[in-house]
Amino acid sequence: MLLCRLSGMFSVVLISASLYRVDAQLSKPCESPKQWEGNVYTVDTKTNSMRRARVVYDENAPRVRITEDISIGNQVDFYDVVYLHNVEYRLNLKTRQCNVTALTRPFRQFGVPQDANFIGKATIGIAGIPGENVVIENYNGQFRDGTKYFGDVTYPDCIPVSRGVYYESGLSLDRFYDINVGIADPMVFIPHKECAEKLSGS
């Protein structure tokens, strides 16, 4: 089932790629919103998993809150995750077990990295008819640890549409939707009490 979905998704990517045109005027990346809330659907070929998640994103801090369900085969797990001060607080919503992990890699933006390379523009939908299309810009590059990525953002507002990250043994592909700029409740970045208790040793 996962391979069938991947095949369909990659077919869409290939079709979309045929619409791209090189735009010499794209000399520097646009700037994505620093704070937003939205949803993401992820397919990861490295772990053979699918994820649906609600994301609250604050690049200024940086900090991220992700409420997610992850499917591997017939098994589904539910997590509430906070990334704060380069530490991951991952609470299993079934068992209420919290794992606290110090992250060793630098923070990775959901928006466009400033050193990204722009490839071109494409129109999704029917070109020339107001309300029936959206223009996207395509970019790629490498994170500071050498990991390669690619992605799409809307034009001109630079809202994330998709992002792919290559691994030695696979690919992780994010599809973003229902994004609203801004954060309604900054308190969402406070880790759950189970995680705080683990840190305090109680």
Side-chain angles (χ1 to χ4, degrees):
M1 179 66 71
L2 177 60
L3 291 177
C4 291
R5 293 188 183 187
L6 281 173
S7 177
M9 294 177 75
F10 289 144
S11 296
V12 172
V13 172
L14 290 174
I15 293 172
S16 299
S18 67
L19 300 176
Y20 282 113
R21 63 180 178 82
V22 176
D23 193 333
Q25 295 180 349
L26 296 176
S27 57
K28 63 180 182 179
C30 62
E31 185 173 337
S32 297
K34 301 298 184 182
Q35 296 180 325
W36 53 263
E37 300 182 17
N39 298 316
V40 61
Y41 176 77
T42 305
V43 174
D44 193 322
T45 63
K46 181 180 179 180
T47 60
N48 199 33
S49 65
M50 294 178 290
R51 178 183 72 164
R52 298 182 186 277
R54 178 69 180 174
V55 178
V56 184
Y57 176 79
D58 182 1
E59 189 176 317
N60 294 324
R63 53 189 181 174
V64 185
R65 170 78 174 272
I66 301 178
T67 307
E68 61 187 14
D69 61 83
I70 299 177
S71 302
I72 302 178
N74 295 324
Q75 179 179 347
V76 182
D77 289 307
F78 301 88
Y79 298 96
D80 197 339
V81 188
V82 176
Y83 297 93
L84 182 65
H85 304 312
N86 219 38
V87 176
E88 176 190 278
Y89 302 86
R90 177 173 292 272
L91 178 68
N92 187 312
L93 295 176
K94 287 182 178 179
T95 65
R96 307 305 298 183
Q97 175 69 36
C98 180
N99 291 325
V100 181
T101 306
L103 302 179
T104 57
R105 64 171 173 78
F107 178 78
R108 290 180 177 176
Q109 302 167 243
F110 280 136
V112 183
Q114 287 301 302
D115 57 354
N117 306 308
F118 271 83
I119 306 303
K121 290 182 181 179
T123 299
I124 298 176
I126 303 174
I129 301 180
E132 295 295 332
N133 64 76
V134 61
V135 177
I136 63 171
E137 294 181 343
N138 177 255
Y139 65 92
N140 63 20
Q142 291 186 3
F143 293 116
R144 281 181 286 175
D145 62 3
T147 302
K148 295 182 179 180
Y149 63 82
F150 64 92
D152 303 298
V153 293
T154 62
Y155 175 84
D157 295 320
C158 209
I159 304 296
V161 174
S162 68
R163 185 188 69 169
V165 178
Y166 293 106
Y167 300 103
E168 290 184 4
S169 56
L171 167 72
S172 177
L173 181 63
D174 295 321
R175 297 291 190 186
F176 301 96
Y177 59 100
D178 294 340
I179 288 183
N180 293 300
V181 176
I183 297 174
D185 180 14
M187 302 300 287
V188 298
F189 299 106
I190 297 177
H192 281 276
K193 64 177 183 179
E194 290 88 346
C195 299
E197 289 171 355
K198 187 165 186 177
L199 283 176
S200 64
S202 59

